[in-house]
Amino acid sequence: MGAEFKLQAEQLRVQRAGREVLAGVSFAVAHGEVYGLLGGNGAGKSTTLATFLGFLPAASGRVIVNGLDVRADLVAARRAIAYLPEAASLYEHLDARENLRYFLQLAGVHGDEADIEAALDRVSLGADARGLRLRGYSKGMRQKVAIALALLRNTGILLLDEPTSGLDPTAIDEFHDLVRGLADAGKTVLMVTHDVYGACQLADRIGLLRSGHLVDQFQAPAGGRIDTETVHRAFSAKAAA
Ligand SMILES: Nc1ncnc2c1ncn2[C@@H]1O[C@H](COP(=O)(O)OP(=O)(O)O)[C@@H](O)[C@H]1O
Ligand SMILES: [Mg+2]
């Protein structure tokens, strides 16, 4: 069922510390789509990702990855997903290649030197930087290494948690171009963010999450973008309510 959808949340309810933090959330992300899950701090964005990854159970409702119920097919569902956590933990004393080699090995994923160079090419990490320890990297460069690692997992689905927070505008634009290119090449992307402008720049569809409720959805017009003003107004109106 719903084979064209790569990610589905159906009436998802999740509790944390005895409190309901997702209160019946439903949305679906189609193959090759970039879905922006937008919301303020504490809205439940990271919780949604954690549930897709099977880190948190649904109190009721369900999450489906590649047509598989995560509760029933946890291993297969997780294998289909590459996840970029909010704070990617890479090793400061290792260079980009060493980090990738180490984390790939840890994940039990095969990646030879050519694969690693290709992934670093794809994220446009400068060739000179690749042999330098991460200690001297900017936040944007670290983010490139983290996304290269996600790409080397070679999955069809990417979950990104606030991937542009702390990046400068140039790095954000570059990151958006990269993600857009991946989606155009057939990856399915669920990106959570509190950045209205960034979500509108990148996403094909935006879901507005407020206190565990999906209160609005916006769809980009064919060949165009979602209107920033409209989303901003909805975001602040809902936040004020
Ligand atoms: N580890 C945790 N234990 C208990 N409650 C948590 C935990 N993490 C988050 N929460 C609560 O769940 C709600 C949603 O959090 P989260 O999904 O992290 O929001 P967002 O990512 O949108 O900022 C918040 O009220 C937060 O306080
Ligand atoms: Mg979060």
Side-chain angles (χ1 to χ4, degrees), residues 16-17 19 21-22 39-48 86 161-162 192 209:
R16 298 190 92 157
R19 219 165 48 80
V21 298
L22 293 178
N41 291 328
K45 304 182 298 296
S46 296
T47 298
T48 304
E86 201 168 354
D161 197 344
E162 310 262 9
V192 313
L209 194 62

Side-chain angles (χ1 to χ4, degrees), residues 200 203-205 218-227:
C200 291
D204 299 304
R205 219 139 46 89
F218 306 89
Q219 167 88 49
R225 285 181 184 164
I226 298 170
D227 179 54

Side-chain angles (χ1 to χ4, degrees), residues 14 16 19-23 25 37-48 162 192-194 207-215 235:
V14 174
R16 298 190 92 157
R19 219 165 48 80
E20 185 161 79
V21 298
L22 293 178
V25 169
L37 192 61
L38 178 71
N41 291 328
K45 304 182 298 296
S46 296
T47 298
T48 304
E162 310 262 9
V192 313
T193 181
H194 57 251
L208 183 57
L209 194 62
R210 165 87 185 144
S211 302
H213 298 268
L214 197 75
V215 291
F235 194 152

